[in-house]
Amino acid sequence: MPSKKLSYEEQAALADLIMIVKARFIEAADTMVHLDVGQVRPAKVRSLWPAFQTDNIGGHHPGYGINGSRVTYRPSSQAISRAEEVLYRWLLDFVETDEDRVLLGKWSICMAAPRVGGSFRKFCKKTGRSRSTAERRVDRAFKAVADAILKNAQSLQGPNWSRVMPMMPNQRMDFGKMASITRWMAPDAKPQHIPEMLDVLREKAA
């Protein structure tokens, strides 16, 4: 069955949403790298998300205090909650295959912490994967996650852009505008997570 052709506005919304989804995966990787929680994640997630060592972590400086002392980055409770949503819901519910989950996890670690994950190109070469094919699968998987969020009218939290932007691939996007977008809905979506919108739909049906 051919997929429904999206309008220009829907395509633009989806493109922005895909970028936010990428940023959320990168933020999740950055958060997990800075938390020693490798043994508390469910076995299903541990088998898909790349393993890493917690010493000499990250690939981006965490910042400096007012006296010039180095400040160690500690994820906030909100960042941890967002990472849990990515790992325990998006990765398992919206990404179809284990191979795509592995690729998303590795790509995210490579972007967030290159000293830990190395480069995605080297990962593909070392594991005998075609880099171009792997990157296409990553892009399709991100689109699948964005499609699921759009279809289900799911409320969406943006990442900590000030933390994530230096880690993002070069993009011509206005992150300031995107940071204010928190809710996405396709025209035929059923907003299961937004009770007040369901009430409106029930009233119209009546």
Side-chain angles (χ1 to χ4, degrees), residues 106 110 117-128 131:
K106 186 62 180 180
C110 290
S119 74
F120 192 68
R121 175 182 60 80
K122 290 182 179 179
F123 161 75
C124 292
K125 182 177 181 180
K126 182 178 179 180
T127 58
R131 180 186 175 187

Side-chain angles (χ1 to χ4, degrees), residues 28-40:
D30 179 55
T31 298
M32 300 308 289
V33 163
H34 287 87
L35 292 175
D36 187 13
V37 293
Q39 299 307 312
V40 301

Side-chain angles (χ1 to χ4, degrees), residues 74-92:
R74 290 289 180 265
S76 66
S77 59
Q78 293 87 353
I80 294 171
S81 294
R82 290 193 296 268
E84 289 176 344
E85 181 180 37
V86 169
L87 287 171
Y88 303 152
R89 184 166 184 229
W90 295 3
L91 189 68
L92 299 180

Side-chain angles (χ1 to χ4, degrees), residues 31-72:
T31 298
M32 300 308 289
V33 163
H34 287 87
L35 292 175
D36 187 13
V37 293
Q39 299 307 312
V40 301
R41 286 173 288 174
K44 176 70 172 177
V45 176
R46 286 204 305 270
S47 68
L48 299 170
W49 201 256
F52 47 79
Q53 296 179 346
T54 57
D55 54 341
N56 192 28
I57 58 179
H60 310 273
H61 71 80
Y64 295 88
I66 58 176
N67 296 322
S69 58
R70 195 170 180 82
V71 178
T72 301

Side-chain angles (χ1 to χ4, degrees), residues 143-164:
K143 183 178 182 298
V145 174
D147 278 334
I149 293 171
L150 191 63
K151 180 179 179 181
N152 295 311
Q154 180 183 341
S155 294
L156 178 66
Q157 295 184 22
N160 179 350
W161 288 109
S162 63
R163 176 74 187 173
V164 174

